[in-house]
Amino acid sequence: MDNFIYHNYTKIVFGKDQETNVGALTAELGKKVLLHYGGGSIKQSGLYARVVSSLQEAGVAFVELGGALPNPRLSLVRAGIDLCRREGVDAILAVGGGSAIDSAKAIALGVPFEGDIWDLFTKKATSNHVLPVGVVLTIPAAGSESSIVSVVTNEETQTKIGLHHPNFRPQFAILNPELCFTLPPDQIANGVCDMLAHVMERYFTNTPGVDFSDRLCEGAMRSMLALGPKVLENPTDYDTWANLMWAGCVAHGDILGVGRVGDWASHRTGHHFSAYYDLPHGTALSILFPAWIKYVYRENLPLFVQWAQRVFDVDLTTADPDAIVLEGVRRLEAFYKRIGLATRFSEVGIDDTHFEAFATRSIPVGALKALSVEDIVAIYRLAL
Amino acid sequence: MDNFIYHNYTKIVFGKDQETNVGALTAELGKKVLLHYGGGSIKQSGLYARVVSSLQEAGVAFVELGGALPNPRLSLVRAGIDLCRREGVDAILAVGGGSAIDSAKAIALGVPFEGDIWDLFTKKATSNHVLPVGVVLTIPAAGSESSIVSVVTNEETQTKIGLHHPNFRPQFAILNPELCFTLPPDQIANGVCDMLAHVMERYFTNTPGVDFSDRLCEGAMRSMLALGPKVLENPTDYDTWANLMWAGCVAHGDILGVGRVGDWASHRTGHHFSAYYDLPHGTALSILFPAWIKYVYRENLPLFVQWAQRVFDVDLTTADPDAIVLEGVRRLEAFYKRIGLATRFSEVGIDDTHFEAFATRSIPVGALKALSVEDIVAIYRLAL
């Protein structure tokens, strides 16, 4: 097991009606906040009105900025930074899913930074100061509500970059499972896929001697495999949503991944498809993760065998470990299909036109196996 | 799943040589600290000298108080409070196991409180202000390094009370698995038993719809069952200790128990034996937990069946669920015996003399099943 520092200070406020506490919680973060959200759904659902009323009751002044889209845009982040500076905002409240939260984190980092925010994402510059962020979560998937990551797309260069920053964790996150009842099935499926991928990216490692977090990850994966189809069948079942929402938060909060080096190649080689084709992040993962496993599993055969056995109950003869792993992959693909996701690029109308370019843009990538451009193209081709 | 607030802000600094950072970490907590520890083992091992040197390098002034014993004493807590007030101490650094940490937490609560600290433990009074606490952990077991609990024994009244306080979590905890290499086997075994019990107390619940944390708890239990004997066989294996040390921290940090009501009857009905006979806390649990399960399992038969199947791989016919649970209990007892722990009071020379008195002192207790005095005596008798 590797040395690590784990400091997840996000206060999780979980359960029915908890968004009524948002005013009091936000008042602890600042005097004037940016209320940041996505499209109009929070207005239609009445959530926007409840949040505004709670902020007003708590005497929190706010300005607002909507329009955060899936694969959140750098241009909106820049607009948010300008607005916050102009208005003297000292904290950000994100109401929405991963896009609104990631966008809010980037704004929070950009406001006190004198240079260009994109230089921080491209690692040309660094800055420690991040305005405090609070969250009301409406789409459980990205796990951004307690993670150290923000993923932003520069639409001019069609580049999608995930920045890790120790001060990116929100100060609080309100998770009310009832807010998920009205999510459309495709968003649910993509979200489930993203959560599961957050566990698999951490699980597939070459770090030896990590039995305890192996077991936690395996438990989390098994639970998600059961919860995903269940929530699609009955999207207004409170307990199913509660478990799935909490699973998504734990999956990316890092307790499952400390002391081990995660891989993240499936995420990073997939981001280009989201940036260029606007492919949902979850679908990039359901297409690429099985192909990645097929391509790399011999790098750590015992771990992939353990995964197939413990997570998918594959009980083929141990004399043929390859068959065990490939049966595990088959069951993973069957799971994706069951929840309605594509497992091949051809299903979503993507051909090999940009494979070489995207692969070139991806490297260096991969920890379980460091991938070359040729490796990545080969994985893309396996997923055609 | 129940509503919950989860806020575990303890910064975990994990790995080889991490105690060399204690000075810098402590300097963030206060200007003058109480260095609180147990017996002389930290002096013999050289840890004391390393901690003192790190504090001095960081310019942190300190006074010290040793002598924290297993089942930490109220008298020492009171002495610590007096010392801190006299010396103008503004933070506490605990170096040791659960006893030193629990004692440090009680001192940290007592210093700014004007009344008697025991009134806070007996709930006659409340106080929110707790001095910041830092930890260098030497015995992984109690999980106190990131928990909200402090358990203190009033030796005058032979009463052992665990107080839950949201501000009891230490600000930082340094976990270096190498510090565990010299622990005696009986302390290791009792520690493993305590960790496992911290998961079981959370797992056995009547809260419906908690599938995700069921799976996390089951993974944690399976891992501990494997790690316990392994660490006893090879107590200087770094990775085994690293997994076990981290498991003990996660087990009581609460991420496994949020949204579900834990039971805690085995802990609370066992504390009296530790307070009166100085029975190790882990041994009170290895004796009482199997008896408790045998007595209560019909209150939530499906959960106990799931536990026996998923944690102990019991694959008896589902037509006889009682047999499945009882086989699970038999395997739990076999595990305790394998690591050298007693599973009956008679093995440690305790008879039924004080059963009635201890049972009377225990109530109200139990969430999965609220236990009467008669119930508790019956459980004690099952464990004779």
Side-chain angles (χ1 to χ4, degrees):
Chain A
M1 195 192 297
D2 294 338
N3 287 6
F4 66 85
I5 292 175
Y6 173 68
H7 190 203
N8 189 336
Y9 49 77
T10 306
K11 181 180 195 167
I12 306 292
V13 180
F14 191 101
K16 289 177 188 171
D17 302 325
Q18 294 305 309
E19 65 272 19
T20 55
N21 297 313
V22 69
L25 288 162
T26 306
E28 292 173 21
L29 304 190
K31 289 187 175 152
K32 187 169 185 181
V33 303
L34 175 72
L35 173 57
H36 189 44
Y37 52 90
S41 65
I42 66 163
K43 292 193 177 170
Q44 286 156 26
S45 71
L47 176 61
Y48 173 85
R50 294 204 296 285
V51 167
V52 164
S53 146
S54 179
L55 289 174
Q56 285 167 339
E57 270 172 42
V60 179
F62 65 93
V63 291
E64 56 183 284
L65 179 68
L69 298 172
N71 305 315
R73 286 8 184 213
L74 179 60
S75 56
L76 189 70
V77 169
R78 288 193 168 128
I81 293 169
D82 288 345
L83 179 61
C84 288
R85 286 178 181 162
R86 222 161 46 230
E87 295 279 348
V89 159
D90 51 8
I92 322 281
L93 175 64
V95 180
S99 304
I101 304 167
D102 283 8
S103 184
K105 288 174 175 178
I107 294 169
L109 177 63
V111 173
F113 177 62
E114 289 185 2
D116 178 21
I117 178 69
W118 194 242
D119 286 348
L120 298 173
F121 274 75
T122 57
K123 303 270 174 76
K124 285 184 192 151
T126 58
S127 174
N128 279 325
H129 191 178
V130 182
L131 296 187
V133 173
V135 169
V136 179
L137 185 67
T138 61
I139 308 172
S144 187
E145 64 276 11
S146 84
S147 83
I148 57 165
V149 189
S150 163
V151 186
V152 170
T153 296
N154 181 336
E155 59 272 54
E156 286 173 25
T157 60
Q158 280 161 349
T159 321
K160 183 173 173 180
I161 297 182
L163 177 66
H164 291 63
H165 195 299
N167 300 338
F168 259 165
R169 294 196 201 273
Q171 300 299 313
F172 71 81
I174 296 173
L175 279 65
N176 176 358
E178 291 179 318
L179 300 181
C180 310
F181 287 1
T182 52
L183 285 173
D186 64 317
Q187 271 196 34
I188 298 174
N190 278 294
V192 169
C193 184
D194 194 16
M195 288 178 199
L196 184 63
H198 287 155
V199 184
M200 292 199 294
E201 296 279 23
R202 288 174 168 88
Y203 182 79
F204 293 124
T205 183
N206 284 328
T207 311
V210 286
D211 317 13
F212 178 66
S213 54
D214 277 359
R215 288 285 187 188
L216 292 186
C217 288
E218 289 152 4
M221 286 186 270
R222 289 193 74 113
S223 186
M224 290 169 180
L225 293 171
L227 291 165
K230 211 171 152 189
V231 86
L232 283 164
E233 279 155 29
N234 192 352
T236 57
D237 182 72
Y238 181 85
D239 276 339
T240 308
W241 262 124
N243 278 277
L244 194 61
M245 195 174 209
W246 178 226
C249 185
V250 172
H252 213 32
D254 241 12
I255 202 153
L256 304 179
V258 293
R260 55 199 296 151
V261 179
D263 185 81
W264 298 100
S266 300
H267 264 74
R268 290 187 189 136
T269 60
H271 279 339
H272 313 292
F273 297 90
S274 300
Y276 187 86
Y277 297 104
D278 224 7
L279 184 69
H281 175 52
T283 306
L285 291 162
S286 65
I287 292 171
L288 280 172
F289 228 123
W292 175 83
I293 296 174
K294 289 176 204 163
Y295 192 79
V296 307
Y297 75 87
R298 285 200 186 88
E299 299 289 319
N300 190 346
L301 187 57
L303 181 64
F304 284 91
V305 168
Q306 175 180 296
W307 168 77
Q309 290 175 330
R310 290 190 185 167
V311 179
F312 288 101
D313 293 324
V314 177
D315 64 351
L316 300 175
T317 172
T318 50
D320 188 356
D322 293 78
I324 294 173
V325 176
L326 295 175
E327 176 59 20
V329 177
R330 205 194 58 74
R331 294 184 190 186
L332 176 64
E333 289 177 327
F335 169 77
Y336 290 145
K337 286 175 193 158
R338 182 174 170 198
I339 61 172
L341 294 180
T343 58
R344 294 291 184 275
F345 282 125
S346 51
E347 293 172 58
V348 292
I350 291 176
D351 62 20
D352 62 1
T353 309
H354 299 288
F355 281 4
E356 191 82 21
F358 292 172
T360 307
R361 231 178 270 170
S362 297
I363 55 168
V365 71
L368 183 120
K369 177 178 169 65
L371 301 177
S372 67
V373 170
E374 293 68 34
D375 290 328
I376 300 168
V377 170
I379 291 168
Y380 288 163
R381 291 207 173 279
L382 276 175
L384 257 178
Chain B
M1 195 190 299
D2 294 339
N3 286 6
F4 66 84
I5 292 175
Y6 173 67
H7 190 205
N8 189 337
Y9 49 77
T10 305
K11 181 180 196 167
I12 305 292
V13 181
F14 191 100
K16 289 177 188 170
D17 302 325
Q18 294 305 309
E19 66 272 18
T20 56
N21 297 314
V22 69
L25 288 162
T26 306
E28 291 173 21
L29 304 190
K31 289 187 174 151
K32 187 168 186 181
V33 303
L34 175 70
L35 172 56
H36 189 44
Y37 52 91
S41 65
I42 67 162
K43 293 194 175 169
Q44 287 157 26
S45 71
L47 175 62
Y48 173 85
R50 294 204 297 285
V51 167
V52 163
S53 148
S54 178
L55 289 174
Q56 285 167 340
E57 270 172 42
V60 179
F62 65 92
V63 291
E64 55 182 285
L65 178 68
L69 298 171
N71 304 315
R73 282 18 180 209
L74 179 60
S75 56
L76 189 71
V77 169
R78 288 193 167 129
I81 293 169
D82 288 346
L83 178 62
C84 288
R85 286 178 181 162
R86 221 159 49 227
E87 295 279 347
V89 158
D90 52 8
I92 322 279
L93 175 64
V95 180
S99 304
I101 304 167
D102 283 8
S103 184
K105 288 174 174 179
I107 294 169
L109 177 63
V111 172
F113 177 62
E114 290 186 0
D116 178 21
I117 178 69
W118 194 243
D119 285 347
L120 298 174
F121 275 75
T122 56
K123 304 269 174 76
K124 284 183 191 151
T126 58
S127 174
N128 278 326
H129 191 180
V130 182
L131 296 187
V133 172
V135 169
V136 179
L137 186 66
T138 60
I139 309 172
S144 186
E145 64 275 12
S146 84
S147 83
I148 57 165
V149 189
S150 164
V151 187
V152 170
T153 297
N154 182 335
E155 59 272 53
E156 284 172 26
T157 60
Q158 280 160 349
T159 321
K160 184 173 172 180
I161 297 182
L163 178 66
H164 291 63
H165 194 299
N167 300 338
F168 259 164
R169 295 196 201 273
Q171 299 299 312
F172 71 80
I174 296 173
L175 279 64
N176 175 358
E178 292 179 319
L179 300 180
C180 311
F181 286 1
T182 52
L183 285 173
D186 64 317
Q187 271 196 33
I188 298 175
N190 278 294
V192 169
C193 183
D194 195 16
M195 289 177 198
L196 184 63
H198 287 155
V199 184
M200 292 199 293
E201 296 278 23
R202 289 175 167 87
Y203 183 78
F204 293 124
T205 184
N206 283 330
T207 311
V210 285
D211 316 14
F212 178 67
S213 55
D214 276 359
R215 287 284 188 190
L216 292 185
C217 288
E218 287 152 6
M221 286 187 270
R222 289 192 75 112
S223 187
M224 290 169 181
L225 293 171
L227 292 165
K230 211 171 151 189
V231 86
L232 283 163
E233 279 155 30
N234 192 353
T236 58
D237 183 73
Y238 181 83
D239 276 340
T240 308
W241 261 124
N243 279 277
L244 194 61
M245 196 174 208
W246 179 227
C249 184
V250 173
H252 212 32
D254 240 11
I255 202 153
L256 303 180
V258 293
R260 54 198 297 150
V261 178
D263 185 81
W264 300 99
S266 300
H267 264 74
R268 290 189 189 134
T269 60
H271 280 338
H272 312 294
F273 295 89
S274 300
Y276 187 87
Y277 296 105
D278 223 8
L279 183 70
H281 175 51
T283 305
L285 291 162
S286 65
I287 292 171
L288 280 172
F289 228 123
W292 175 82
I293 297 174
K294 289 176 205 165
Y295 193 80
V296 307
Y297 75 87
R298 285 201 186 87
E299 299 289 320
N300 190 346
L301 187 58
L303 180 63
F304 284 90
V305 168
Q306 175 180 296
W307 168 77
Q309 290 175 330
R310 291 190 185 168
V311 179
F312 288 101
D313 293 324
V314 177
D315 63 351
L316 300 175
T317 173
T318 49
D320 188 356
D322 293 76
I324 294 173
V325 176
L326 294 175
E327 176 59 20
V329 177
R330 204 195 58 74
R331 293 183 191 186
L332 176 64
E333 288 177 328
F335 170 76
Y336 290 145
K337 286 176 193 158
R338 182 174 169 199
I339 61 172
L341 294 180
T343 57
R344 294 291 183 277
F345 282 125
S346 50
E347 293 173 58
V348 292
I350 292 176
D351 62 21
D352 62 1
T353 309
H354 299 289
F355 280 5
E356 192 82 22
F358 292 172
T360 307
R361 233 178 269 169
S362 297
I363 55 168
V365 70
L368 183 119
K369 177 179 168 65
L371 301 176
S372 67
V373 170
E374 293 68 35
D375 290 327
I376 300 168
V377 170
I379 291 168
Y380 287 163
R381 291 206 174 280
L382 276 175
L384 256 179

